[in-house]
Amino acid sequence: MLPTPLRPPLLCVLSLALIACSQPPAEPPREEAAVQQKAQSRALAAGKARLAARVPLAAMPTVMPAPRAERLPSHYRDEGRERYQRFADNPVQAVAEAPVSTFSTDVDTGAYANVRRFLDSGRLPPAEAVRLEEMVNYFPYAYPLPKGDAPFGVSTELAVTPWNPETRLLRIAIKASDRRVEELPPANLVFLVDVSGSMERPEGLPLVKATLGLLVEQLREEDRVSLVTYAGDSRLVLAPTSGRDKARIRAAIEELSAGGATVGEAGIQLAYQQARQGFIAGGINRILLATDGDFNVGTSDFESLKQLVTSQRRSGVSLTTLGFGTGNYNEQLMEQLADAGDGNYAYIDNLREARKVLVEQLSSTLATVARDVKLQIEFNPAWVSEYRLLGYENRQLRREDFANDKVDAGEVGAGHTVTALYEIVPAGARGWLEPLRYQPARMTENDSQELAWLRIRYKAPEAERSRLLEVPVLAEAPRAIAQASEDLRFAAAVAAFAQQLKGGQYTGDFSMADSAELARGARGEDPFGLRGEFVQLVELASVLQASQNGRSATARVE
């Protein structure tokens, strides 16, 4: 494996942390606090340096456009109004009581980029901002391709859990068939852009304009683009325009300026109206909503906006949400609107992420190969006594929802990979739950070599009835984590890190340093540097966590 180079600012942070640890015990608490404060300051500088290195200044406008006369209050951005969904971690389940686990797929990646944004700014993210499945699914994996007429390949792997030798980590892997951009059907795209006052900042509208500029370069002659904006009102800025007229599209985007309140509902309705007017039968019909999600005028409550998008998806127009901004970012709305709109959600914190979503993974972002994809796994009590699903807390379904085609689920785009991880307790091993006194005796005689039975339901893009795919999970001897595949080891490292950011209830003594080491050994070829960047983020988070814990200890002493 290639060693992971540390950037100089991070080396300075780690060196300073080591120096602080080597000070004699007699050092006064206030001097120790000063050292820790310097470490945090250096971590903040390192994050800013990383961010600056990834976002070329030349890509940003040199002059900010003049805002409209209507402005938001001066204290508006200082209120810290970011909003996230709060879900408790999935509970441990006893196979004797609940042998079946059912959930919807999730290919969103916004949580990872958002967590990176916090770390780059020198802060640990709030626990509710960490969604384990979105962090794991952020990375590409070399999973087996589809066989036969199925739209995706399915595989499983079992290994000893790196943070608990008593349990096993079961990975379920899905790989959708890929398509080159030039092979995609014609696209009818509506850019829906928030130009309200809350977007008047470098990480707001200027970054939106640079992001959409990257997408414009990918357009073909047969593609059509419309541009709708909303602030105090909504308006059509650009009527449907062929992808060959890139200069006209770019000019319309560059003329956008920010200012005013946010009437998001009217903008969404106008965008759907425009998408229906330009509808391409058999083509890609999609709205790309670029906003911080802060709808502060008109219909702004979560359920009403979600219901509006849900009612519109029947028209065959899907909705992708691209999140921008800080301070007032409404991540809950962005993620749920994309789910309701049969689309996907990404958070854009820099131009590198914009390129990943709208250039390198454009086919995945725009083209759907399977709709309403649901997973259901039934564990065999002869082999498994307990289990817990890692992540997917807001994607849980009832058992009866699996076969109900009227229940909405996640979409999988061309080339997407989906990873689901279960931590399981082998039958007879020590688990998390105390044994019950009056439970039925466990069956010990069983000739079946099936650890579990996996069922997947999905709909073809234009179909209304689902298809069923079934895959047995064999009870093979688990590999030691060091002998597991690179993809499983790396996914396990990401899953461990996500749990550690949320308090590490189940990771025990397995530290962030252990997560970084596990990921470092599973980097593989890493052509885009994403895995190497992850290792650096874990190391940065470790320093921030140590600094935070040190400040708490000093405060208790004083």
Side-chain angles (χ1 to χ4, degrees):
M1 301 297 174
L2 294 176
T4 304
L6 299 178
R7 291 186 173 88
L10 185 55
L11 282 173
C12 293
V13 174
L14 295 175
S15 299
L16 186 54
L18 289 172
I19 292 172
C21 293
S22 65
Q23 295 299 316
E27 182 182 23
R30 292 190 182 277
E31 292 183 16
E32 182 181 345
V35 171
Q36 292 160 351
Q37 182 63 37
K38 288 181 180 179
Q40 187 182 27
S41 299
R42 288 181 179 271
L44 177 59
K48 291 181 177 179
R50 286 163 35 75
L51 187 59
R54 288 203 302 266
V55 187
L57 295 178
M60 295 296 185
T62 55
V63 179
M64 287 292 295
R68 301 175 186 175
E70 184 182 3
R71 289 180 176 271
L72 295 170
S74 59
H75 63 276
Y76 180 77
R77 295 183 186 131
D78 299 327
E79 295 179 356
R81 304 186 310 118
E82 295 200 11
R83 280 163 282 181
Y84 300 94
Q85 284 183 291
R86 297 184 178 182
F87 286 95
D89 290 342
N90 290 321
V92 173
Q93 300 285 2
V95 174
E97 301 168 5
V100 178
S101 171
T102 309
F103 64 97
S104 164
T105 58
D106 186 4
V107 295
D108 295 336
T109 60
Y112 180 84
N114 194 32
V115 165
R116 179 176 61 200
R117 185 252 302 185
F118 275 99
L119 296 175
D120 277 342
S121 67
R123 295 178 293 162
L124 292 171
E128 57 268 25
V130 181
R131 281 202 297 279
L132 185 149
E133 72 280 1
E134 292 190 18
M135 296 186 67
V136 171
N137 286 324
Y138 179 84
F139 301 91
Y141 299 97
Y143 293 160
L145 290 169
K147 296 180 180 179
D149 60 353
F152 39 72
V154 182
S155 61
T156 62
E157 186 176 359
L158 190 68
V160 176
T161 307
W163 55 84
N164 185 351
E166 297 292 329
T167 65
R168 305 293 179 259
L169 197 61
L170 172 64
R171 185 200 67 185
I172 299 171
I174 293 176
K175 172 67 175 180
S177 56
D178 205 353
R179 304 176 68 179
R180 295 182 299 173
V181 173
E182 54 268 27
E183 297 174 341
L184 297 179
N188 165 40
L189 304 178
V190 179
F191 296 164
L192 176 56
V193 181
D194 180 354
V195 294
S196 64
S198 64
M199 296 289 286
E200 187 191 358
R201 62 182 86 183
E203 67 274 17
L205 186 57
L207 184 54
V208 171
K209 292 160 72 171
T211 296
L212 295 181
L214 293 175
L215 177 55
V216 170
E217 294 305 312
Q218 311 305 307
L219 297 175
R220 305 159 299 175
E221 181 175 350
E222 60 267 31
D223 300 327
R224 295 199 295 264
V225 170
S226 305
L227 177 59
V228 174
T229 63
Y230 65 90
D233 56 9
S234 59
R235 65 189 182 102
L236 177 64
V237 175
L238 182 69
T241 302
S242 169
R244 69 173 177 269
D245 198 353
K246 292 181 173 56
R248 183 183 176 194
I249 300 172
R250 283 194 297 264
I253 294 172
E254 284 304 315
E255 290 177 0
L256 300 180
S257 59
T262 315
V263 186
E265 177 196 13
I268 293 174
Q269 290 179 336
L270 180 57
Y272 273 106
Q273 177 185 336
Q274 194 63 34
R276 288 193 300 270
Q277 289 178 356
F279 191 86
I280 300 176
I284 296 171
N285 298 276
R286 188 173 294 254
I287 297 169
L288 286 90
L289 170 60
T291 177
D292 56 17
D294 191 9
F295 296 177
N296 51 56
V297 175
T299 300
S300 57
D301 67 280
F302 172 75
E303 288 301 330
S304 296
L305 288 169
K306 184 178 177 181
Q307 186 57 43
L308 169 63
V309 172
T310 300
S311 66
Q312 294 288 346
R313 73 182 177 208
R314 300 186 185 94
S315 65
V317 178
S318 55
L319 174 71
T320 286
T321 58
L322 304 175
F324 295 83
T326 62
N328 63 322
Y329 184 55
N330 189 341
E331 199 255 14
Q332 175 186 9
L333 182 64
M334 299 297 289
E335 193 262 350
Q336 289 293 292
L337 283 185
D339 183 32
D342 281 353
N344 49 333
Y345 153 65
Y347 179 79
I348 309 297
D349 58 335
N350 54 62
L351 278 179
R352 181 180 177 181
E353 184 66 17
R355 179 175 176 79
K356 174 179 180 288
V357 174
L358 296 178
V359 178
E360 297 164 3
Q361 299 177 354
L362 183 60
S363 296
S364 303
T365 301
L366 296 183
T368 299
V369 300
R371 297 171 42 244
D372 291 342
V373 183
K374 306 170 187 174
L375 275 70
Q376 185 175 83
I377 189 165
E378 179 184 354
F379 289 102
N380 184 348
W383 292 97
V384 182
S385 61
E386 301 171 18
Y387 68 89
R388 67 184 187 97
L389 173 61
L390 276 59
Y392 294 94
E393 284 83 4
N394 65 339
R395 299 281 181 166
Q396 295 296 302
L397 297 174
R398 296 174 298 183
R399 181 176 173 181
E400 60 268 28
D401 293 339
F402 181 73
N404 188 346
D405 285 348
K406 293 185 178 180
V407 175
D408 182 56
E411 280 61 50
V412 175
H416 264 144
T417 58
V418 179
T419 302
L421 298 171
Y422 281 91
E423 186 176 359
I424 63 176
V425 177
R430 178 177 175 81
W432 301 286
L433 303 176
E434 290 295 323
L436 297 177
R437 179 177 178 84
Y438 303 109
Q439 67 178 349
R442 180 177 61 85
M443 182 173 57
T444 57
E445 296 295 332
N446 193 328
D447 294 332
S448 173
Q449 294 300 306
E450 294 169 0
L451 180 82
W453 189 259
L454 174 63
R455 303 177 182 92
I456 302 176
R457 279 201 174 273
Y458 66 94
K459 296 175 184 175
E462 305 297 331
E464 292 302 322
R465 297 190 64 179
S466 65
R467 301 176 183 177
L468 177 63
L469 179 64
E470 297 183 283
V471 179
V473 182
L474 299 181
E476 300 175 345
R479 300 177 180 178
I481 191 63
Q483 278 72 54
S485 67
E486 286 181 346
D487 284 339
L488 175 55
R489 283 182 282 138
F490 189 83
V494 179
F497 180 55
Q499 294 175 86
Q500 289 156 353
L501 287 174
K502 299 179 73 172
Q505 179 181 357
Y506 294 101
T507 52
D509 295 331
F510 196 82
S511 67
M512 287 187 181
D514 295 322
S515 296
E517 184 63 25
L518 181 60
R520 185 180 296 110
R523 286 178 60 189
E525 294 183 3
D526 197 21
F528 301 108
L530 298 178
R531 295 189 178 190
E533 179 193 55
F534 171 76
V535 173
Q536 295 176 8
L537 287 177
V538 177
E539 290 170 334
L540 178 58
S542 180
V543 173
L544 292 171
Q545 185 182 67
S547 176
Q548 184 180 81
N549 292 341
R551 288 199 310 273
S552 299
T554 301
R556 289 195 296 270
V557 169
E558 293 181 345

